[in-house]
Amino acid sequence: MSINSNVHDAGSTPGAEAATVPAPNMADVGTVACVGAGTIGGGWAAYFLARGFRVKIWDPSPDAGDKLSALIDAAWPALTKLGLAETADKDNFTVHTDLAEAVDGVGFIQESAPEKLELKRQLLADIDKVTAPGVVIASSTSGYSMTEMATEAADPSRLVVGHPFNPPYLIPLVEVVGGERTAPEAVKWASAFYDSIGKSVITMDHEVPGFIANRLQEALWREALHMIDNGEATVEQIDRSITDGPGLRWPIHGPMTTFHLAGGQGGMSHMLDHFGPSLKSPWTRLDAPELTSQLRDDVVDGVDDAEPRPVDELIAERDEVIIAIRNVIASVKGQS
Ligand SMILES: NC(=O)c1ccc[n+]([C@@H]2O[C@H](COP(=O)([O-])OP(=O)(O)OC[C@H]3O[C@@H](n4cnc5c(N)ncnc54)[C@H](O)[C@@H]3O)[C@@H](O)[C@H]2O)c1
């Protein structure tokens, strides 16, 4: 039996297992659960509330409810500017001390617990054990594959990765990918669900370490750390090199289209013929630098020097800028 009898069969994946019961119809998912409610889980909760869902929370931290309320309050102005669903209510969430109670009656689960493999393995197995059959369970993991996280679960067929970007209430992208034992229908269902709530979904056919965006971000991050480690650039210079440089192009063109235009009228073919040989120049180091305590302190001190404002102020400014950028792109492209 497929995980969602309303979704067309994606074909068989080697090792994929059939789930037991159909997942709910998209329109019937009135309540979702967020397991883990820190930066990302709280951001997901804020987004689900803004889209009109009731949200049930499970997080072992005693102050999880207070932190979540603060995060939702801070995010709500931005979500309001982007447009709330008719039924959106920022107080429509409950925090539970019992996992089974938290997932009871929900149509979808987003797990956003700390990035520790053993913890994820056990937690996903625990969630699976107490969740009604057929309900899809997504993990926000930044880099683990579902194949390695699903090892303890009794029903791995409904476990998928749904990798968001911080803050999940403003950045549309979600990368969706299953593990070797995930049913293709579960991946399809999760992709369709995220799409139905306004996310920009990339459904990946292969489990790639770091997925797509983090793999790209990591390359940049490693080079930045090398430059600080070698005293070649400061934190402030590195940040400005992107915000006042290529970063201004990225909201509209990804790295591939950016280089297409860098080739002028000749486009990508000129770009590759012209700059192809320099790809072999030793511009990059790529192997990760040793994170010595000196490098750690240099990076932390550098950030404190370059950006002394409190995190709350930076978050509010970031949210305002992201909304403005999204609105400009929409108006230039004539989407709304
Ligand atoms: N921070 C980011 O930019 C980012 C982006 C995308 C994905 N992620 C992923 O999201 C997940 C959460 O990251 P975060 O940045 O929100 O971390 P965080 O430390 O802010 O939050 C983790 C939350 O999980 C709770 N927790 C601890 N043990 C738990 C358990 N056993 N079960 C459930 N909850 C538990 C903590 O109390 C905390 O509230 C990670 O898998 C991470 O890789 C993070």
Side-chain angles (χ1 to χ4, degrees):
M1 182 57 149
S2 77
I3 199 154
N4 183 347
S5 53
N6 296 319
V7 175
H8 136 95
D9 187 350
S12 63
T13 299
E17 294 178 15
T20 42
V21 173
N25 287 320
M26 261 349 101
D28 295 337
V29 182
T31 305
V32 299
C34 290
V35 175
T39 306
I40 295 302
W44 271 119
Y47 189 75
F48 290 133
L49 290 169
R51 302 271 44 89
F53 293 93
R54 176 170 172 241
V55 180
K56 297 176 84 179
I57 305 289
W58 187 79
D59 187 303
S61 168
D63 59 354
D66 292 342
K67 283 190 175 164
L68 178 63
S69 295
L71 190 155
I72 294 169
D73 284 347
W76 209 252
L79 285 162
T80 306
K81 275 188 202 162
L82 283 178
L84 299 172
E86 242 171 58
T87 52
D89 174 356
K90 78 182 178 65
D91 298 318
N92 194 13
F93 70 90
T94 42
V95 181
H96 301 261
T97 49
D98 181 56
L99 181 61
E101 190 186 284
V103 300
D104 185 36
V106 307
F108 176 70
I109 298 171
Q110 185 79 39
E111 172 274 311
S112 310
E115 189 76 350
K116 292 180 187 153
L117 184 55
E118 281 313 318
L119 185 154
K120 297 266 196 206
R121 278 183 174 150
Q122 191 54 53
L123 182 59
L124 288 169
D126 290 347
I127 299 171
D128 172 49
K129 202 167 164 185
V130 293
T131 299
V135 172
V136 172
I137 302 165
S139 172
S140 295
T141 181
S142 297
Y144 294 128
S145 68
M146 189 46 81
T147 297
E148 58 189 338
M149 288 193 297
T151 52
E152 309 304 315
D155 181 7
S157 71
R158 39 113 151 241
L159 301 181
V160 303
V161 168
H163 175 233
F165 290 81
N166 191 40
Y169 57 87
L170 282 188
I171 304 286
L173 186 62
V174 184
E175 292 167 322
V176 180
V177 61
E180 281 171 11
R181 298 194 297 154
T182 303
E185 291 85 352
V187 174
K188 277 193 138 197
W189 190 93
S191 294
F193 175 67
Y194 288 129
D195 184 62
S196 76
I197 61 169
K199 287 291 181 185
S200 170
V201 180
I202 294 180
T203 307
M204 298 176 64
D205 294 328
H206 304 283
E207 292 187 286
V208 177
F211 318 118
I212 298 174
N214 270 354
R215 182 167 168 184
L216 295 171
Q217 288 202 122
E218 274 289 307
L220 194 65
W221 175 231
R222 272 197 298 268
E223 293 307 315
L225 291 177
H226 274 303
M227 285 197 274
I228 291 170
D229 204 23
N230 293 328
E232 295 164 331
T234 65
V235 163
E236 197 273 337
Q237 288 171 329
I238 287 168
D239 271 356
R240 191 142 55 87
S241 78
I242 297 299
T243 57
D244 289 3
L248 285 173
R249 300 185 297 224
W250 286 343
I252 180 70
H253 290 145
M256 303 309 284
T257 309
T258 293
F259 285 133
H260 177 50
L261 299 192
Q265 293 304 319
M268 185 59 95
S269 62
H270 175 62
M271 178 69 197
L272 288 175
D273 296 342
H274 185 184
F275 291 106
S278 67
L279 287 176
K280 298 224 159 149
S281 324
W283 285 358
T284 56
R285 295 178 179 86
L286 284 179
D287 282 347
E290 191 63 39
L291 190 57
T292 60
S293 54
Q294 179 67 51
L295 175 56
R296 182 198 175 278
D297 291 349
D298 286 349
V299 173
V300 172
D301 293 347
V303 169
D304 287 343
D305 285 347
E307 190 45 274
R309 290 181 293 162
V311 167
D312 282 350
E313 192 179 323
L314 296 174
I315 288 176
E317 183 184 72
R318 176 202 63 193
D319 287 5
E320 208 176 321
V321 170
I322 291 175
I323 291 169
I325 290 170
R326 287 184 57 178
N327 284 340
V328 167
I329 292 172
S331 75
V332 170
K333 287 189 160 180
Q335 287 171 349
S336 66

